[in-house]
């Protein structure tokens, strides 16, 4: 590396600047970081939640342009609706231009499919908390691994059926409970059944309902770091939930081969933003905000879980994680328990 | 062909994961992930902490000034420090869009004392303190690790004086104590006092002494192909012989950093004159991130493990079942409370005992006093009785005397009257 002998002009900031005469090389650390990141590889865990038949697996395959979903891995299993919500996760190593990523897609068959759907979000909540718990246990070990494997759910894509009216009670319940523990990205599934006007009014209704119920979906307003962030995220917030169409079949349109759905009245192009908002979703999830999603999971959701868990252990002297979220103010009960146990 | 196996979290015993590699049918876009990561780091800024150990006047501050091209407002230290001290100063530097928070820690008075046995201790204590405060932050319940100003020492430049012979025993002892706590990069200071051939021999001698004494200095990493070659070459040039200077001298038609002597000009950035450029390249341009990572994953983890084990925490208990930190903590807390209770009881008992003793003592004293009082009273009574007796005798005497006196007086009176009668009789 011969950068050291080339004199380069430096930017003068309010901080003590390096003088003009020669180059120190501090900004080479960016390159070092990049190298380290490429060597280590990345991890991304995404969960898809929605009723069966909404196109979750197809959307995942479309997003990652390969057969990442559970169904593609188990092609011969007959499709049956499970009696309870199951959690099935599949992992893949994907690579693009030297960047390696371990992608895990977590499927939740059975969600919302029973006659009685009360508390069907609970197994999902438990799974998410279990991942946090595993990470926490590994982190507080004496001899811990160099890189703790990250199985925490970074992002949860929630599929809203395209009724065109409003959110159903199940949707509201689910999002209300889970928006506090994981980043939720709501999408309108099978959006090719809505016209553009229907789509816009549906989205507006959904946004209002989310606001009315105090549900904070990704990107959360409170985690905006600075004005620039807020501006970018406000634009995104104007557009959620994204109306998406998924497809893993290619068709010939205007001489190009593109992903789409062919019907008798036309071909819906998945990546055409005039047709559906898949491209926006893909850009948000993968191209621009993936790191941010991971950071919010690590530093906010996980820390919240950790604080609650450590406080609980302190008070109740147990080491078993709770299956349900702790009561809002554990202190009064906890203190009483403490006193009685000491006596 | 490997087929992906589903893992269901409902049955934890079938946790085998075969992760299959997939090829993508098109451009997905996550190749921008490193860029996203880098952008985030630029917003956050970087942190780097260097510790400079060396004797007073060996050129530590000058080298730092030269390395980072700024004037760090240092002042000369005296040679009369009674103990080794460490002075840490933090600076915010910026180059293009990278902000660096640099902390330079210098030893003050190292090697000046007459008895240098304890010279390494303040340095070790400083490094441990930084690890400790990071550990404390990590163990807190409400913590903010991403905002935390990391003060752990990432690199330690050990300045060897250019004697040309070998390492001093102080150097060996200090480096041995530090090699498991920090990345040590030895440098030969004031290298313009050594000739080229002497330097070569000196370097070989130093490295062989380090190896024979088992001192683990920092080796530039060889696992990444892009930098493995240059790192291997540089590993062969250790320790770097450096010259520091912030003054500029005209050489040819350029102003360069150099030291001017009557016999010539030593140019700092000339690779034929000294290894300064190599040091800067290795320390900053190529391996800064690796230094930080080694500190975090190796030295800090070692410290953490030792510290927690010292406090009595284990990962598995006597039945080799995994024990959580929380359980151990609770067990220890109970133990501690029980111990406290025991001590309290003990103290109370001791107190009661002492009170009893004192009481007994006092009772004894009282009895003794009582005895003496009785004795005195008796004596007094006896004496009184004796005196009464004497008084009685005296009274008796007195009364008998009185009687005899009365009798005598009567007799006298009788005899007088008898005489008077006789006289009367004669007169008739």
């Amino acid at each position: 590396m011969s950068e050291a002998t080339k004199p380069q002009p430096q930017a003068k900031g309010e901080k003590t600047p390096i003088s003009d005469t020669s180059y120190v090389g501090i900004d080479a650390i960016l390159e070092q970081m990049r190298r380290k990141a490429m060597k280590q590889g990345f991890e991304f865990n995404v969960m898809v939640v929605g009723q069966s038949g909404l196109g979750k697996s197809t959307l995942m395959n479309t997003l990652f342009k390969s057969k990442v979903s559970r169904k593609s891995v188990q092609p011969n299993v007959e499709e049956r609706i499970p009696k309870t919500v199951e959690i099935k996760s599949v992992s893949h190593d994907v690579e693009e231009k030297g960047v390696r990523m371990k992608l895990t897609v977590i499927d939740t068959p059975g969600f919302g499919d029973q006659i009685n759907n009360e508390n069907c979000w609970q197994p999902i909540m438990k799974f998410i908390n279990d991942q946090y718990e595993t990470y926490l246990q590994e982190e507080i070990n004496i001899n811990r691994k160099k890189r703790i494997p990250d199985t925490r759910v970074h992002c949860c894509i929630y599929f809203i059926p395209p009724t065109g009216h409003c959110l159903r009670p199940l949707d509201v319940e689910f999002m209300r409970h889970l928006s506090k523990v994981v980043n939720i990205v709501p999408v309108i599934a099978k959006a090719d059944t809505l016209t553009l006007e229907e789509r816009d009014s549906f989205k507006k209704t959904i946004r209002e309902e989310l606001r009315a119920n105090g549900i904070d979906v990704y990107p959360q307003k409170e985690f905006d770091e600075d004005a620039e962030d807020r501006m970018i995220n406000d634009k995104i917030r104007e557009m959620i939930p994204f109306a998406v169409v998924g497809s893993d079949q290619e068709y010939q349109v205007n001489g190009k081969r593109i992903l789409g759905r062919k019907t008798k009245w036309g071909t819906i192009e998945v990546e055409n933003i005039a047709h559906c908002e898949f491209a926006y979703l893909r850009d948000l999830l993968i191209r621009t905000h993936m790191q941010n999603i991971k950071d919010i999971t690590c530093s906010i959701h996980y820390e919240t879980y950790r604080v609650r868990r450590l406080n609980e252990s302190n008070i109740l002297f147990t080491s078993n994680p709770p299956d349900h979220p702790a009561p809002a103010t554990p202190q009064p009960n906890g203190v009483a328990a403490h006193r009685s146990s000491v006596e | 062909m490997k087929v992906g196996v589903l893992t269901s979290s409902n049955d934890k015993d079938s946790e085998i994961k075969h992760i299959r590699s997939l090829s993508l049918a098109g451009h997905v876009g996550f190749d921008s992930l490193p860029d996203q990561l880098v952008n985030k780091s630029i917003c956050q800024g970087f942190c780097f902490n260097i510790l400079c150990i060396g004797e007073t006047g060996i050129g530590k501050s000058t080298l730092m000034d030269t390395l980072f091209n700024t004037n760090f407002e240092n002042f000369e230290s005296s040679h009369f420090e009674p103990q080794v001290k460490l002075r840490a100063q933090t600076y915010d530097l910026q180059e293009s869009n990278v902000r660096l928070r640099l902390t330079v820690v210098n030893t003050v008075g190292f090697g000046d004392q007459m008895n240098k046995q304890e010279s390494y201790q303040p340095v070790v204590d400083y490094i441990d303190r930084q690890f400790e405060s990071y550990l404390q932050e990590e163990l807190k319940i409400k913590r903010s690790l991403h905002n935390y100003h990391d003060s752990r020492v990432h690199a330690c430049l050990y300045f060897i004086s250019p004697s040309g012979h070998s390492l001093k025993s102080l150097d060996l002892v200090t480096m041995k104590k530090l090699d498991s706590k920090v990345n040590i990069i030895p440098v030969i200071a004031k290298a313009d006092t050594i000739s080229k051939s002497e330097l070569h021999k000196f370097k070989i001698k130093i490295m062989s002494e380090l190896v024979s004494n088992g001192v683990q200095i920092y080796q530039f990493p060889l696992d990444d192909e892009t930098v493995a070659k240059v790192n291997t070459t540089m590993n062969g040039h250790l320790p770097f012989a450096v010259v520091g200077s912030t003054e500029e001298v005209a050489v040819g038609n350029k102003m360069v950093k150099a030291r001017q002597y009557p016999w010539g000009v030593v140019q700092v950035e000339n690779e034929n004159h000294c290894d300064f450029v190599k040091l800067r390249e290795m320390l900053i341009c190529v391996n800064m991130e690796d230094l930080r990572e080694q500190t975090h994953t190796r030295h800090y983890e070692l410290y953490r493990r030792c510290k927690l084990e010292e406090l009595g925490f284990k990962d598995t208990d006597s039945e080799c079942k995994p024990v959580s930190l929380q359980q151990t903590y609770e067990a220890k807390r109970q133990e501690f409370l029980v111990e406290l209770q025991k001590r309290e009881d003990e103290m109370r008992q001791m107190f009661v005992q002492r009170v009893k003793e004192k009481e007994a003592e006092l009772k004894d004293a009282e009895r003794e006093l009582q005895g003496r009082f009785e004795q005195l009273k008796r004596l007094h009574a006896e004496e009184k009785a004796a005196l009464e007796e004497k008084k009685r005798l005296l009274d008796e005497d007195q009364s008998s005397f009185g009687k005899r006196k009365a009798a005598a007086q009567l007799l006298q009176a009788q005899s007088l009257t008898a005489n008077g009668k006789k006289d009367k009789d004669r007169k008739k």
Side-chain angles (χ1 to χ4, degrees), chain A residues 1-7 23, chain B residues 254 269 271 277 280-281:
Chain A
M1 281 167 82
S2 58
E3 293 162 51
T5 51
K6 268 189 279 171
Y23 174 67
Chain B
K254 282 197 302 180
E269 287 179 342
E271 296 213 40
V277 170
R280 184 175 61 195
E281 185 145 322

Side-chain angles (χ1 to χ4, degrees), chain B residues 356-377:
Chain B
K356 280 213 186 94
E357 276 176 24
K358 223 15 156 78
E359 239 177 41
E361 242 177 73
L362 284 175
K363 272 216 178 77
D364 275 345
E366 197 183 331
R367 243 183 293 126
E368 200 189 305
L369 271 177
Q370 189 79 350
R372 268 210 278 158
F373 177 66
E374 300 274 299
Q375 200 187 39
L376 279 177
K377 198 159 140 191

Side-chain angles (χ1 to χ4, degrees), chain A residues 85-298:
Chain A
V85 179
E86 292 174 350
I87 315 264
K88 293 210 157 80
S89 75
V90 189
S91 291
H92 308 273
D93 271 335
V94 287
E95 197 224 310
E96 190 173 54
K97 294 207 178 114
V99 178
R100 284 176 300 113
M101 184 162 80
K102 177 161 165 270
L103 172 70
T104 306
V105 177
I106 304 156
D107 202 353
T108 54
F111 177 82
D113 289 334
Q114 276 77 42
I115 293 183
N116 182 356
N117 283 315
E118 269 180 13
N119 301 332
C120 65
W121 47 267
Q122 269 178 355
I124 298 176
M125 180 80 128
K126 177 171 184 308
F127 177 80
I128 294 176
N129 282 336
D130 281 345
Q131 305 315 304
Y132 288 147
E133 182 65 28
T134 318
Y135 194 87
L136 180 66
Q137 288 303 328
E138 187 57 44
E139 198 187 32
I140 61 180
N141 255 349
I142 310 281
N143 285 312
R144 38 187 203 188
K145 301 200 185 101
K146 208 167 186 186
R147 262 194 91 200
I148 305 177
D150 191 359
T151 54
R152 301 173 288 191
V153 177
H154 296 129
C155 175
C156 172
I157 305 182
Y158 186 75
F159 286 72
I160 302 172
T163 60
H165 295 171
C166 61
L167 288 176
R168 302 165 304 157
L170 174 64
D171 302 333
V172 172
E173 269 306 293
F174 178 85
M175 286 201 270
R176 200 153 57 84
H177 282 106
L178 263 78
S179 61
K180 301 196 183 70
V181 293
V182 73
N183 298 317
I184 297 192
V185 177
V187 296
I188 302 175
K190 297 202 165 169
D192 48 342
T193 58
L194 297 170
T195 66
L196 288 180
E197 296 82 24
E198 286 169 355
R199 185 201 292 179
D200 281 337
S201 78
F202 189 28
K203 284 214 265 188
K204 216 187 311 169
T205 317
I206 293 180
R207 278 200 292 273
E208 270 166 25
E209 287 204 358
L210 289 178
R211 203 173 12 240
N213 281 292
I215 301 173
D216 221 0
V217 297
Y218 185 80
Q220 293 95 335
K221 249 203 168 75
E222 43 179 340
F223 305 142
D224 283 339
E225 284 174 22
D226 50 25
E228 196 185 308
D229 245 9
R230 202 168 307 131
M231 217 171 56
I232 299 176
N233 288 344
D234 275 341
K235 281 211 203 83
I236 297 173
R237 283 189 275 263
E238 295 289 299
M239 286 201 281
I240 53 166
F242 295 111
V244 296
V245 174
S247 164
D248 44 12
Q249 285 181 315
E250 286 189 344
Y251 295 100
Q252 195 90 348
V253 170
N254 292 338
K256 286 193 297 178
R257 286 198 69 80
I258 48 127
L259 289 170
R261 283 172 65 76
K262 192 165 181 164
T263 62
K264 289 222 160 60
W265 47 91
T267 307
I268 303 155
E269 296 164 39
V270 165
E271 295 193 11
N272 187 338
I273 52 174
H275 290 196
C276 76
E277 294 177 335
F278 170 81
Y280 291 128
L281 175 70
R282 181 202 50 210
D283 286 346
L284 175 75
L285 218 48
I286 301 176
R287 292 188 187 174
T288 55
H289 281 72
M290 193 188 258
Q291 187 60 40
N292 184 243
I293 290 176
K294 287 171 59 165
D295 287 338
I296 292 187
T297 310
C298 281

